[in-house]
Amino acid sequence: MNIAKSALGLALASASARAFSPAASRAASRLARAAAAPGASFVGGGRSAGSMSSSATALRANVLKLTEPAKDLLPGVDVFIFDCDGVIWRGDSVIEGIPETLEKLRALGKKMYFVTNNSTKSRAGYKKKFDSLGLNVPAEEIFSSSFAAAAYLEQTKFKESGKKVYVVGEVGIQEELDLIGVPHFGGPQDGGKIPDMGPGCLVEHDEDVGAVVVGFDRNINYYKIQYAQLCINENPGCEFIATNTDAVTHLTDAQEWAGNGSMVGAIRGCTGREPTVVGKPSPLMIDYLCDKLGLDRGRICMVGDRLDTDILFGTDNGLKSLLVLSGVTTEEKLMSQENTITPDFYADSIVDFFADEKSKVEAAA
């Protein structure tokens, strides 16, 4: 895969120092962006003084439906960062029109990276998935939250501590930890374990565990929760790391399924500890990409289907952002008074990036 591990120390140094911006700062930055946005074809009405009377109204008034991508989007973007679930595919089915859209973007000279919060696969595992869906995506363009967890541990020199990692999650995390030589256990191997809870029984835990990494786990069970809480609560200095806190995910294209937020919530609930989150919207992966590849944040567009992860990843890290409605977020939710997160644009799917071409063809016909 040729992703240089030696670059991680410098590339990720700033990420641990600014894992999350305070909520108030986030809100202020979003309102500032809304106030500064140019007026043009805004859904919800023009930018009158009345529309700025409340933050919710201001945000709704500045959500721009992408109708002229050749003018409003493509010229100002050199790099697209795509989420995967709900943007490129749903479950194990590629979204209609995606292969052709990616080919057109490459023909325009656009760089692309695929950044997913799903930790069930390693980068190598995701390469296989792209291949199985007929998508020609080089391995170097793929980044997962399982990689982000390993990158964080390498950046913090966890290996030098001589400690182990207990994994609540699947093989993706384990494969990435193997690549950096960090000892680990748990994961799928603990999927069938049931603790004995008779009188006087207890779960013995390894006192050399220095970090618990919690990723999406289709075989989560009480044993894993108990083992994780023992390590976090009883091992001095043990870190609690979450690959992401997504509420729901796309296991199939038929419905939404409970996401890693449910696993993280179980561990948070019995430890009282907040995790270090390494996936979106944490800055770790964008810091890595920008520092390693020399990317200009001002010419990067984050494209995703989630407001609280993908779009925050863009707005909190100085990127353009575009929400697609092909995943978990509906137009109704985007425009609701409860929503305080605003993308620069929104579209039905990334196929709309070339809506101008389609319109011209239909007009000619």
Side-chain angles (χ1 to χ4, degrees):
M1 189 159 292
N2 299 324
I3 297 179
K5 293 188 290 184
S6 60
L8 284 172
L10 175 62
L12 302 178
S14 62
S16 61
R18 60 181 188 93
F20 293 103
S21 302
S25 176
R26 283 177 173 167
S29 67
R30 283 179 219 125
L31 288 173
R33 291 175 64 252
S41 303
F42 291 113
V43 174
R47 299 188 65 241
S48 65
S51 71
M52 299 298 290
S53 62
S54 71
S55 60
T57 302
L59 291 171
R60 291 200 308 279
N62 285 280
V63 179
L64 180 63
K65 182 70 179 283
L66 185 68
T67 56
E68 297 183 272
K71 177 173 71 73
D72 296 331
L73 177 68
L74 297 177
V77 176
D78 297 328
V79 179
F80 284 98
I81 297 178
F82 294 111
D83 180 41
C84 296
D85 295 334
V87 178
I88 305 301
W89 60 65
R90 295 190 199 94
D92 290 320
S93 302
V94 68
I95 294 172
E96 184 178 358
I98 295 300
E100 297 81 3
T101 300
L102 297 182
E103 289 177 6
K104 290 178 180 179
L105 288 172
R106 291 192 191 281
L108 290 176
K110 306 300 183 184
K111 294 181 180 178
M112 290 179 282
Y113 297 96
F114 300 84
V115 177
T116 175
N117 264 358
N118 192 324
S119 63
T120 59
K121 296 179 177 65
S122 62
R123 290 164 293 170
Y126 273 107
K127 171 58 178 168
K128 292 178 181 177
K129 178 160 186 174
F130 276 100
D131 291 345
S132 72
L133 294 174
L135 299 171
N136 184 23
V137 173
E140 291 77 15
E141 294 180 353
I142 303 169
F143 295 87
S144 64
S145 62
S146 52
F147 162 76
Y152 172 79
L153 289 170
E154 186 168 40
Q155 185 257 328
T156 56
K157 302 187 183 303
F158 181 84
K159 184 178 179 180
E160 284 81 342
S161 72
K163 299 287 186 177
K164 306 172 188 175
V165 171
Y166 183 69
V167 176
V168 177
E170 301 191 15
V171 295
I173 298 171
Q174 295 175 314
E175 289 175 357
E176 293 290 352
L177 293 178
D178 286 338
L179 290 175
I180 62 170
V182 168
H184 59 84
F185 64 102
Q189 291 72 33
D190 283 356
K193 292 185 177 179
I194 301 174
D196 187 346
M197 291 180 279
C201 293
L202 53 82
V203 172
E204 299 281 357
H205 77 284
D206 191 331
E207 296 181 358
D208 286 332
V209 170
V212 173
V213 176
V214 182
F216 184 76
D217 191 335
R218 282 167 285 199
N219 294 298
I220 187 77
N221 58 32
Y222 189 72
Y223 178 88
K224 293 181 182 182
I225 296 172
Q226 172 66 357
Y227 202 102
Q229 76 86 9
L230 287 171
C231 294
I232 294 170
N233 284 336
E234 299 188 12
N235 291 0
C238 183
E239 287 202 70
F240 175 19
I241 301 167
T243 60
N244 68 85
T245 56
D246 292 358
V248 294
T249 190
H250 294 106
L251 295 182
T252 70
D253 59 359
Q255 64 180 182
E256 294 177 355
W257 299 76
N260 193 47
S262 61
M263 290 84 181
V264 174
I267 309 301
R268 180 195 287 120
C270 57
T271 62
R273 290 267 300 276
E274 290 295 327
T276 296
V277 181
V278 295
K280 295 172 292 184
S282 164
L284 189 146
M285 283 194 278
I286 190 61
D287 286 348
Y288 175 82
L289 285 170
C290 288
D291 293 343
K292 180 179 184 296
L293 303 174
L295 304 180
D296 178 358
R297 290 177 190 243
R299 295 189 65 82
I300 299 174
C301 182
M302 175 66 214
V303 181
D305 68 319
R306 296 175 186 272
L307 291 163
D308 58 352
T309 54
D310 300 322
I311 302 309
L312 269 185
F313 183 71
T315 59
D316 282 1
N317 292 296
L319 317 178
K320 295 179 176 68
S321 61
L322 185 144
L323 178 79
V324 290
L325 305 179
S326 52
V328 300
T329 303
T330 64
E331 187 173 34
E332 180 181 8
K333 180 176 180 180
L334 171 65
M335 306 303 291
S336 70
Q337 292 187 1
E338 291 74 24
N339 176 41
T340 59
I341 302 169
T342 178
D344 293 299
F345 303 97
Y346 79 101
D348 292 330
S349 81
I350 69 169
V351 175
D352 291 349
F353 286 8
F354 296 95
D356 312 59
E357 293 182 5
K358 183 178 179 182
S359 299
K360 290 177 182 177
V361 170
E362 291 175 347

